[in-house]
Amino acid sequence: MTMDIELIFKIAAVGIIVSILNQVLVRSGRDELATMTSLAALVVVLMIVVQRIAELFDLIQNLFHF
């Protein structure tokens, strides 16, 4: 249960940091860099989620002894 809450906090932290960084970059006139930062954060969050899904599949595989 605590692992799920930690995952939510990690994703929220990435979102908050990227949101602040995005606003700073947009206000300084670096729109392209702000977009790239947002895309990089999306990739990081997707990697975290995919890793957890892989762990779930491993757990199911071990549960049913495939």
Side-chain angles (χ1 to χ4, degrees):
M1 186 69 171
T2 59
M3 297 288 272
D4 298 332
I5 294 172
E6 289 177 9
L7 179 66
I8 292 171
F9 283 151
K10 282 182 186 178
I11 293 172
V14 169
I16 291 169
I17 291 169
V18 168
S19 175
I20 292 169
L21 187 58
N22 194 5
Q23 288 298 317
V24 169
L25 289 170
V26 166
R27 291 184 192 269
S28 67
R30 299 185 179 202
D31 294 332
E32 297 86 12
L33 193 56
T35 303
M36 293 303 286
T37 305
S38 297
L39 288 174
L42 177 65
V43 169
V44 168
V45 169
L46 284 177
M47 287 175 56
I48 292 171
V49 171
V50 166
Q51 181 181 10
R52 294 302 298 250
I53 290 173
E55 291 175 8
L56 174 65
F57 285 151
D58 287 340
L59 178 68
I60 292 172
Q61 186 178 17
N62 289 335
L63 181 66
F64 292 113
H65 303 291
F66 287 128

